[in-house]
Amino acid sequence: MLTPDASERALRDYFRQHRIAELRELFQLLGTRSRMSVFRRLKAVGYRSSFNHAGRYYTLADVPQFDRWGLWFHADAGFSRAGTLKDTVVALVDSSAAGMTPNELLALLRLPVANTLSNTLHSVRREARIACHGLDGEQLYISADAQRAKTQRMQRRQALEGAPSAPVAVSEEMVIAILVEALQGAEGWMS
């Protein structure tokens, strides 16, 4: 096992070049098979784990350049300023002007399996960290704070009615994810 100083240098050099790593790569880099030792070294320099892929990917805390939603992706590994998938979903719903639908969340989070999001939404809702409101046949996830939720529902209704309202911001990532999904659907249809 590398010394603490050598570990820090090795980790910083590795992440500067590769951006993310899996645990097996960190075992090799640090010369150990002890999970506890790897996490001790990561904790000393500050790290984040991915909110998707069951937290399988790691990066140093200063590597991600988060977008306005607090998300950063490297390949298909997603990292969030909020931390875990549950915390990320709560942060996204709370910060949205008009609440968020499952499809909007899927597009933002780039989750390959909708069931993962469904389970997460069910869990954070059961924990009363967010609320759910049916609106025009669609589930709308809103803040657990009653006043914030009221504002979000009003914003969503205005957007649905086409009435003038503050625009619902859509990130470039969301637009790209929706376009990719549409193209993949079109490819399957044309086959």
Side-chain angles (χ1 to χ4, degrees):
M1 173 93 187
L2 297 176
T3 66
D5 288 339
S7 293
E8 182 176 342
R9 280 191 304 278
L11 287 167
R12 291 197 184 283
D13 289 344
Y14 184 87
F15 284 108
R16 193 174 303 119
Q17 182 178 1
H18 300 281
R19 316 299 281 167
I20 65 173
E22 291 185 64
L23 194 56
R24 63 180 165 73
E25 295 164 319
L26 297 175
F27 284 147
Q28 186 175 8
L29 176 71
L30 299 174
T32 185
R33 294 293 307 154
S34 167
R35 290 175 57 90
M36 186 68 99
S37 294
V38 169
F39 287 109
R40 194 175 302 121
R41 296 296 199 251
L42 283 171
K43 185 176 180 182
V45 294
Y47 76 99
R48 294 182 181 276
S49 57
S50 59
F51 66 77
N52 59 359
H53 298 288
R56 186 173 90 202
Y57 295 99
Y58 303 91
T59 191
L60 296 188
D62 60 356
V63 169
Q65 295 185 4
F66 296 110
D67 64 15
R68 68 179 215 79
W69 293 102
L71 303 174
W72 177 73
F73 292 88
H74 183 79
D76 65 342
F79 296 84
S80 168
R81 187 176 283 128
T84 65
L85 180 58
K86 285 171 121 182
D87 291 340
T88 300
V89 166
V90 171
L92 289 171
V93 167
D94 279 342
S95 68
S96 67
M100 298 199 92
T101 66
N103 286 336
E104 291 167 345
L105 285 164
L106 273 174
L108 269 178
L109 297 170
R110 303 182 194 174
L111 296 173
V113 181
N115 203 26
T116 302
L117 178 62
S118 179
N119 292 340
T120 301
L121 287 168
H122 178 73
S123 179
V124 293
R125 195 169 155 219
R126 188 178 58 239
E127 295 165 6
R129 296 175 65 194
I130 62 172
C132 185
H133 179 73
L135 190 63
D136 287 351
E138 199 169 12
Q139 295 288 14
L140 179 66
Y141 290 90
I142 51 180
S143 176
D145 176 74
Q147 187 59 44
R148 177 84 178 121
K150 181 179 177 182
T151 302
Q152 288 175 320
R153 286 191 310 270
M154 183 181 71
Q155 287 284 340
R156 182 60 64 142
R157 272 193 212 97
Q158 287 176 346
L160 289 174
E161 293 168 0
S165 66
V168 176
V170 178
S171 70
E172 291 176 9
E173 292 83 6
M174 184 183 289
V175 170
I176 291 169
I178 291 169
L179 289 173
V180 166
E181 190 173 308
L183 287 171
Q184 288 172 338
E187 288 173 7
W189 178 75
M190 294 172 23
S191 302

